């Protein structure tokens, strides 16, 4: 199959809508990362998503909507906290887990009795959902385990020959996947950190619990509240080692570590006197989120074998960057 990349003009959106209505997959830009979209109510189309990504069958998908009233056909109940969160942060990088309506196929939810729903703010995503008239199931459009795509070219690298079309909506503004929260009554539980930070969530909920899996590796046999959190994820081909400590300690450590294919992954402005092959990404937390996945792909491209990474902050959007990087590192963190 030939994979086309098209600018998202009206004609391209109509073409994409037709493909979706016929049960095909489309690479779709969103403000977080690119999604691999299919009609969420078409079991055969949803199966194609799992095939194209090589995704484990027990990892459920997020359903994307472009109007609040689309929620009614997808969920059995809307708790008060979800209403408040949706008023404040939708459209935007927030996914909520609801009790599933029977209309949503079990292939989407991987057999769970809950369904994840998101209202993206990217206009191309909204137009595609509205024009096709379909709720769209869409995981990140990477091969399973690889860093998520933040440009159309990244999607092409992973999906060339597997899907008919990618809509090029430019570089993703947030750059890490949406915040995922389970909602119940007045309270919420953070399952995956993202662009809507814990600080922002707290403004709209009673209690906010942070799931253990946000920071730590699940223990043998432990059940994941969000199945996606249990896999090694977002990984470049190289081994990633996170070094927790000051920049001075980081430099001292590297001085003893010169080897072929070893790279330092540092924040913009930290490259001075490094004396080590390096790549920088992002000075602020927001920039780090936007640039992390592209940096991991770039290090692959350069043939990196080992990546020594500075440790991101664990506050604000930094927590999302930390969460993705520790997974890319398979939880290898060295305290200096
Ligand atoms: O920003 C995003 O959320 C992107 C764009 C394309 O919208 N999508 C995305 O999808 O990141 P994916 O499939 O890569 O990640 C979905 C995450 C997984 O960790 C999955 O386990 C979790 O959401 N999830 C989905 N449905 C769930 C459910 N019913 N209960 C708990 N976790 C769920
Ligand atoms: Mg993903």
């Amino acid at each position: 199959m030939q994979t086309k990349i098209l600018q998202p003009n009206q004609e391209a959106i109509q073409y994409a809508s037709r493909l979706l209505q016929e049960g095909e997959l489309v690479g779709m830009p969103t403000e977080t990362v690119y999604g691999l979209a299919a009609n969420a109510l078409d079991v055969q189309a949803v199966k194609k998503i799992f095939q194209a990504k090589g995704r484990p069958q027990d990892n459920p998908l997020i359903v994307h909507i472009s109007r609040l009233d689309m929620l009614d056909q997808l969920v059995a109940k809307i708790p008060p906290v979800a209403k408040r969160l949706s008023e404040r942060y939708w459209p935007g990088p927030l996914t909520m887990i609801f009790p599933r309506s029977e209309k949503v196929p079990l292939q989407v939810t991987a057999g769970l009795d809950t369904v994840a729903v998101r209202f993206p703010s990217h206009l191309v995503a909204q137009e595609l959902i509205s024009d096709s008239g379909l709720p769209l199931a869409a995981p990140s459009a990477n091969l399973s385990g690889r860093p998520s795509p933040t440009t159309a070219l990244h999607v092409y690298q992973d999906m060339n020959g597997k899907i008919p079309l990618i809509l090029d909506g430019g570089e993703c503004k947030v750059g890490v996947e949406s915040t995922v929260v389970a909602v119940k009554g007045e309270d919420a539980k953070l399952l995956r950190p993202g662009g809507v930070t814990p600080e922002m969530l707290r403004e709209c909920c009673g209690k906010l619990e942070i799931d253990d899996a946000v920071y730590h590796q699940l223990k043998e046999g432990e059940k994941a509240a969000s199945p996606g959190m249990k896999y090694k994820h977002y990984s470049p081909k190289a081994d990633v080692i996170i070094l927790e400590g000051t920049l001075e300690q980081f430099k001292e450590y590297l001085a003893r570590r010169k080897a072929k294919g070893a790279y330092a992954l540092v924040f913009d402005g930290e490259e001075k006197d490094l004396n080590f092959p390096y790549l920088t990404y992002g000075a602020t937390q927001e920039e780090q989120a936007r640039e992390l996945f592209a940096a991991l792909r770039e290090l692959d491209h350069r043939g990196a074998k080992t990546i020594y990474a500075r440790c991101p902050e664990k506050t604000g959007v930094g927590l999302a960057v930390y969460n993705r990087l520790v997974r890319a590192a398979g939880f290898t963190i060295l305290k200096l």
Side-chain angles (χ1 to χ4, degrees):
M1 184 187 292
Q2 270 257 314
T3 302
K4 276 192 213 156
I5 303 183
L6 294 177
Q7 292 305 308
N9 55 29
Q10 212 185 347
E11 200 187 328
I13 297 222
Q14 282 170 1
Y15 173 48
S17 296
R18 258 200 325 277
L19 287 171
L20 291 166
Q21 287 158 354
E22 288 162 5
E24 289 298 333
L25 307 183
V26 171
M28 165 179 80
T30 85
E31 71 279 18
T32 56
V33 301
Y34 275 72
L36 188 60
N39 177 359
L41 306 179
D42 177 343
V43 171
Q44 294 311 321
V46 168
K47 282 186 178 163
K48 287 184 188 169
I49 293 181
F50 285 86
Q51 267 167 14
K53 278 184 64 93
R55 183 180 178 98
Q57 295 291 337
D58 65 349
N59 195 1
L61 305 174
I62 297 172
V63 181
H64 296 67
I65 59 174
S66 62
R67 280 193 335 255
L68 261 186
D69 60 14
M70 289 176 78
L71 197 56
D72 300 334
Q73 62 166 335
L74 301 172
V75 310
K77 197 175 146 199
I78 304 178
V81 66
K83 192 155 182 304
R84 280 204 303 281
L85 285 166
S86 70
E87 280 164 6
R88 185 74 172 265
Y89 299 118
W90 275 1
L94 176 69
T95 295
M96 288 189 267
I97 314 280
F98 297 89
R100 176 182 75 95
S101 112
E102 276 170 16
K103 272 209 176 141
V104 180
L106 287 167
Q107 279 77 8
V108 170
T109 67
L112 297 175
D113 54 8
T114 53
V115 58
V117 185
R118 176 161 110 78
F119 184 162
S121 65
H122 199 296
L123 291 181
V124 175
Q126 291 184 5
E127 279 171 33
L128 192 57
I129 299 162
S130 296
D131 197 82
S132 64
L134 302 170
L136 297 179
S140 50
N142 51 288
L143 288 174
S144 203
R146 298 261 300 137
S148 294
T150 54
T151 65
L153 190 62
H154 293 163
V155 181
Y156 189 80
Q157 286 167 355
D158 283 16
M159 292 296 151
N160 181 21
K162 298 186 165 196
I163 62 174
L165 176 66
I166 301 163
L167 292 175
D168 186 350
E171 193 193 339
C172 300
K173 293 247 154 39
V174 180
V176 289
E177 305 84 347
S178 60
T179 304
V180 178
V181 293
V183 285
K184 195 172 178 195
E186 301 291 335
D187 303 331
K189 183 175 186 182
L190 178 65
L191 305 182
R192 178 176 76 178
V196 174
T197 64
E199 294 82 349
M200 290 161 74
L201 292 169
R202 280 200 184 94
E203 287 173 22
C204 296
C205 39
K207 235 181 33 235
L208 177 72
E209 194 186 333
I210 299 194
D211 193 71
D212 253 1
V214 168
Y215 294 102
H216 307 291
Q217 186 164 25
L218 288 171
K219 294 182 193 71
E220 222 15 71
E222 208 172 346
K223 195 162 167 275
S226 179
M229 288 283 108
K230 74 181 178 208
Y231 297 105
K232 183 170 180 191
H233 239 103
Y234 318 112
S235 303
K237 291 177 188 121
D239 290 327
V240 181
I241 298 166
I242 298 176
L243 303 178
E244 208 171 352
T246 65
L247 181 57
E248 280 317 306
Q249 291 170 320
F250 185 85
K251 287 181 186 167
E252 248 168 59
Y253 183 89
L254 289 191
R256 292 174 272 124
R257 286 286 175 313
K258 288 244 160 55
K260 198 159 173 280
Y263 276 87
L265 180 61
V266 301
F267 304 127
D268 283 335
E270 295 185 336
E271 59 271 33
K272 200 167 160 280
D273 301 328
L274 211 50
N275 293 317
F276 203 86
Y278 70 87
L279 186 72
T280 67
Y281 76 109
T284 64
Q285 291 182 351
E286 282 73 19
E287 289 165 0
Q288 286 160 20
R290 200 177 308 140
E291 296 169 24
L292 173 69
F293 288 138
L296 294 177
R297 280 179 184 256
E298 173 61 23
L299 285 166
D300 264 355
H301 181 71
R302 294 190 192 177
K305 299 270 182 295
T306 312
I307 300 169
Y308 297 106
R310 291 270 289 145
C311 189
E313 288 166 9
K314 294 173 204 163
T315 55
V317 190
L319 180 62
V321 180
Y322 175 81
N323 171 275
R324 304 313 188 270
L325 198 60
V326 291
R327 279 173 174 74
F331 292 88
T332 312
I333 308 177
L334 272 180
K335 293 208 167 48
L336 299 176

